C-alpha cells in the first residue's frame, strides 16, 4: 500500500482547512492530454504552456504531455529524443509497430516537458472501426461530415490505446491522466470503458453549448436552469459534440473547471457539479530592478506615440503627453468579448470629456482579427509622412548643430535668424504642407472585406466616433494580430500591452480571461466583469480591486444600460487621474501578479490529483478533509494610503492640482504597502471546491 506523508494546509486564521497525502511522485506517472499541446489554437495552449515549468519541476521525468502531431509544429517547437521511462518507451514502440506514427521529444518551452504526439492522418484508416468502439462505449455517433469531431475520435482512440500500453508495462506505478476540453474527452471515455487502471481528471475551460448560446445573444445567465439542453444542442448541430463532452464529464473520477462562474454554468449545462475549481495562472517573471516595468511602459508608450503621430498627421492638435492609450484584444466575438458595451461607453466618455473641456485625449485600439485584403493606403501614407518629417528634422538639426558648433569655437553667439538659410526654411515649409489632409484620420488600419456589415465599424458609424478634431476619444481598429514585423505598428503583443495605459475587457462570456490577467502581470490596469473567471477571482481575493487597478463591471445583476454607465464612470475616473496616481496604481497592479503565479495556483491542480487518486485507488490513497476547502479568507487588504480608489479620491475636474499631489506624497508609502502585500501572498491559502448549496441568483439581467 502506497501512503505519502500527510500534508496539512492552513488557512490565514491558522486553523487547518484540509489535509491530503503528499504524493510520492516517483511512484506515479502524470499525463496531460490536450489538442493544443504544441498546437496553438486558443487559450488552452497558454494554460498548458505556462503551467509546464511548475509541473515539470514538481514531477520531473514522470510528467508527459499528449497532443496531435503537425509537421510544422514538430520542426519548430519539439526536440526529438528517446523516452527515458521504460513503460512509455515500450508503449511508443508497440504503437509504431502496429501501423501508427507516434513522435516523442521535449517541447522547447520553459520546463522542457516530454511530449507524445500522434499523427492523426496516418491512423485515419481506423476511423470506421473506432466509430464502432465509441458507439459501443457510450452510444454516441459522429457524422461523417464533421471533420473536426472525426479527428478528435482518432486522437482520443490513439490516446486510450497509448494509455493501455503504458499501464500494461508500468510496473506498479500508478497513472494519473488529465484531459482538457471535449477535444481530448474521447480518450477518457474509452479508457474508462475499457477499465484501464488510471485516475482520470476532466477539465472544461468553457462549455460547448454555453459559448454557442452566448454568441447568439441569448439571455444566458438568467435562464441557466430553463434551457432544454438537448434541443439547443440539436438546433446548433453540435449534439454529438455535446454528448462527447457530457460523457467525458461523467466518466471522470474528478471534474474540474477554471472559475466559479464556469462551475455554475457547467452544473446546468453538463449536469455535474465540478469537484475542484482550478484557476488559470501565468509564469510571472520579476525584474531585478523594482520599477523596471515602469521603464518598459515609458519605452513602449513612446513607440505607440510614434504610430499615433503618423496615423493622425494633419489632425495632431492634441498633446500626446496628455493622451491615454486604451485597448481591447481577443477573438472577434462582438458581444461575447464586450466590444458592443465598450463602444457605447466610449461614446458617453467622449461626451463627458468634451462637456468638461478636458485636455485629456483617449486613443482606443481594437486588436481583433477580421477578414481584410490589405493595409489601408491612407494609414500607410501617414507612417510615410511621419518618417519623412523625422528625416527632414534630423537633417536640419545636423546642419544647425554644425553651424552652432563652429560659431561657439570662434567664440561667437550665433545669430539665430541667420543660422538657418533660405533652403532650410523652404524644406520645412514643404514638410508642413505635406502634412495637410482633406479627410479625417481613418478608423481602421486595413481594408475590411465586409466593411458595410462589420459590427465594430457599423457601431462606430452609429455613434459617430469618426476621429474628428473635436472628439476627445479617437478610435483605431487594427483587424490583425500584432507583429514586430508589421510595417504599420511593429510591436509584439506584450510590448504593445506594456505601452498602453488601460486594457478594457467587458466580456459577457469569459470563462477565465487571460487578457486582463496578462495586463496585471505586466503592471497595466484593466477592466473586467463579474461574468469572467478572472473578475470573480479578483473580487474574492482583493478587498478593493479598483485601488489595485482591476475595475470590475457588474454585468450580472445590472441592466445593460446601467453596466454601460458603470463602465463609462470607470473610464472617466481613470482619465481624471494625475500621472502620479497612475504610477501608484500601476505599482499596485504589478504586485497582484503573485496571485496569478502558477507557483501558487498550481496548488489547485495538486488538490485535484490527490482527489482523483483517492477515488480511483481508495485502498492506496486517501484525502482527509477536516472541513470543506475554500478560498474565502485570503484577501489583499484595501490600501490605507491614497488613492484608495482613484475614482473616489479625485477632484471633480479632470486635472489634479499640485496641492493634491503634495498631500499624496505625505500619505503614500509604497514600500510599506508592498511589504504588507508580500506578507499576504506568502500566507498559504486554502484550495477550492465548488461550495455546496450555491444556487443561481434569479432576477439577473442579460447585457
Amino acid at each position: 500500500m502506497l501512503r505519502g506523508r500527510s500534508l496539512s494546509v492552513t488557512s490565514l486564521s491558522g486553523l487547518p482547512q484540509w489535509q491530503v497525502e503528499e504524493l510520492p511522485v516517483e511512484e506515479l506517472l502524470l499525463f496531460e492530454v490536450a489538442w493544443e499541446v504544441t498546437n496553438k489554437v486558443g487559450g488552452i495552449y497558454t494554460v498548458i504552456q505556462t503551467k509546464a515549468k511548475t509541473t515539470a519541476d514538481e514531477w520531473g521525468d514522470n510528467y508527459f504531455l499528449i497532443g496531435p502531431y503537425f509537421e510544422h509544429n514538430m520542426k519548430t517547437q519539439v526536440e526529438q529524443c528517446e523516452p527515458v521511462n521504460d513503460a512509455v518507451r515500450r508503449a511508443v514502440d508497440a504503437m509504431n509497430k502496429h501501423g501508427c506514427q507516434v513522435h516523442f521529444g521535449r517541447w522547447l518551452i520553459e520546463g522542457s516537458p516530454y511530449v507524445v504526439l500522434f499523427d492523426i492522418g496516418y491512423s485515419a484508416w481506423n476511423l470506421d472501426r473506432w466509430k464502432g468502439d465509441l458507439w459501443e462505449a457510450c452510444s454516441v455517433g459522429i457524422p461523417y461530415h464533421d471533420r473536426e469531431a472525426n479527428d478528435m475520435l482518432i486522437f482520443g482512440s490513439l490516446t486510450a490505446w497509448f494509455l493501455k500500453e503504458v499501464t500494461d508495462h508500468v510496473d506498479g506505478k500508478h497513472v494519473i491522466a488529465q484531459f482538457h476540453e471535449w477535444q481530448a474527452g474521447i480518450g477518457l471515455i474509452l479508457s474508462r470503458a475499457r477499465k484501464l487502471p488510471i485516475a482520470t481528471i476532466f477539465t472544461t475551460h468553457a462549455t460547448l453549448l454555453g459559448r454557442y448560446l452566448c454568441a447568439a445573444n441569448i439571455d444566458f445567465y438568467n435562464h441557466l436552469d430553463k434551457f432544454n439542453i438537448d434541443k439547443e444542442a440539436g438546433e446548433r448541430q453540435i449534439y454529438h459534440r455535446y454528448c462527447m463532452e457530457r460523457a467525458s464529464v461523467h466518466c471522470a473520477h474528478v471534474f474540474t473547471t477554471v472559475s466559479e462562474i464556469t462551475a455554475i454554468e457547467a452544473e446546468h449545462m453538463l449536469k455535474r457539479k465540478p469537484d475542484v475549481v482550478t484557476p488559470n495562472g501565468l509564469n510571472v517573471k520579476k525584474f531585478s530592478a523594482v520599477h523596471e516595468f515602469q521603464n518598459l511602459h515609458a519605452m513602449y508608450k513612446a513607440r505607440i506615440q510614434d504610430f499615433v503621430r503618423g496615423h493622425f498627421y494633419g489632425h495632431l492638435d492634441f498633446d500626446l503627453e496628455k493622451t491615454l492609450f486604451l485597448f481591447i484584444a481577443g477573438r472577434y466575438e462582438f458581444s461575447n468579448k464586450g466590444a458592443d458595451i465598450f463602444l457605447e461607453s466610449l461614446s458617453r466618455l467622449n461626451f463627458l470629456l468634451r462637456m468638461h473641456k478636458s485636455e485629456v485625449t483617449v486613443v482606443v485600439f481594437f486588436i481583433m482579427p477580421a477578414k481584410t485584403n490589405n493595409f489601408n493606403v491612407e494609414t500607410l501614407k501617414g507612417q510615410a509622412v511621419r518618417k519623412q518629417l523625422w528625416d527632414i528634422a534630423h537633417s536640419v538639426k545636423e546642419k544647425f548643430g554644425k553651424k552652432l558648433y563652429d560659431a561657439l569655437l570662434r567664440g561667437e553667439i550665433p545669430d539665430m535668424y541667420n543660422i538657418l538659410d533660405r533652403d532650410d526654411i523652404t524644406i520645412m515649409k514643404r514638410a508642413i504642407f505635406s502634412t495637410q489632409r482633406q479627410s479625417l484620420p481613418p478608423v481602421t488600419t486595413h481594408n475590411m472585406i465586409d466593411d458595410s456589415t462589420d459590427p465594430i465599424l457599423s457601431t462606430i458609424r452609429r455613434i459617430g466616433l469618426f476621429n474628428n478634431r473635436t472628439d476627445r476619444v479617437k478610435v483605431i481598429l487594427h483587424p490583425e494580430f500584432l507583429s514586430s514585423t508589421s510595417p504599420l505598428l511593429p510591436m509584439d503583443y506584450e510590448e504593445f500591452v506594456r505601452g498602453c495605459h488601460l486594457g478594457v475587457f467587458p466580456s459577457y462570456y469569459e470563462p477565465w480571461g487571460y487578457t486582463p490577467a496578462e495586463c496585471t502581470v505586466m503592471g497595466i490596469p484593466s477592466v473586467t466583469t463579474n461574468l469572467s473567471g478572472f473578475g470573480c477571482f479578483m473580487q474574492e481575493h482583493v478587498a478593493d480591486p479598483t485601488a489595485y487597478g482591476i475595475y470590475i463591471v457588474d454585468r450580472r445583476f445590472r441592466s445593460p444600460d446601467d453596466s454601460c454607465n458603470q463602465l463609462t464612470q470607470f473610464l472617466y475616473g481613470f482619465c481624471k487621474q494625475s500621472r502620479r496616481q497612475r504610477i501608484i496604481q500601476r505599482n499596485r497592479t504589478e504586485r497582484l501578479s503573485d496571485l496569478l503565479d502558477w507557483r501558487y495556483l498550481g496548488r489547485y491542480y495538486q488538490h485535484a490529483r490527490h482527489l482523483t487518486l483517492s477515488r480511483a485507488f481508495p485502498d492506496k490513497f486517501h484525502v482527509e478533509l477536516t472541513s470543506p476547502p475554500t478560498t474565502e479568507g485570503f484577501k489583499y487588504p484595501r490600501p490605507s494610503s491614497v488613492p484608495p480608489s482613484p475614482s473616489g479620491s479625485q477632484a471633480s475636474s479632470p486635472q489634479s492640482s499640485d496641492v493634491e499631489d503634495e498631500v499624496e506624497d505625505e500619505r503614500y508609502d509604497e514600500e510599506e504597502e508592498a511589504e504588507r502585500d508580500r506578507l499576504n501572498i506568502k500566507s498559504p491559502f486554502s484550495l477550492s471546491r465548488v461550495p455546496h448549496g450555491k444556487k443561481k441568483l434569479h432576477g439577473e439581467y442579460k447585457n
Side-chain angles (χ1 to χ4, degrees), residues 676-687:
R676 187 166 61 248
D677 287 343
R678 277 193 291 271
L679 290 174
N680 275 311
I681 191 64
K682 284 178 182 176
S683 303
F685 57 95
S686 53
L687 304 189

Side-chain angles (χ1 to χ4, degrees), residues 397-458:
K397 182 186 75 172
E398 288 291 319
K399 292 174 66 176
F400 181 94
K402 188 175 183 304
K403 291 180 180 179
L404 177 61
Y405 174 65
D406 290 339
L408 293 176
L409 282 177
R410 294 192 301 268
E412 301 174 358
I413 299 296
D415 184 354
M416 292 302 172
Y417 292 99
N418 297 325
I419 202 166
L420 292 176
D421 56 33
R422 182 170 297 179
D423 288 342
D424 295 329
I425 301 294
T426 302
I427 290 172
M428 289 191 288
K429 286 182 178 179
R430 289 178 61 184
I432 292 172
F433 290 157
S434 71
T435 63
Q436 296 178 359
R437 72 196 304 178
Q438 303 303 316
S439 60
L440 293 173
V443 295
T444 178
T445 58
H446 292 60
N447 294 323
M448 304 288 287
I449 289 179
D450 299 319
D451 183 290
S452 60
T453 58
D454 182 81
I456 290 178
L457 294 181
S458 297

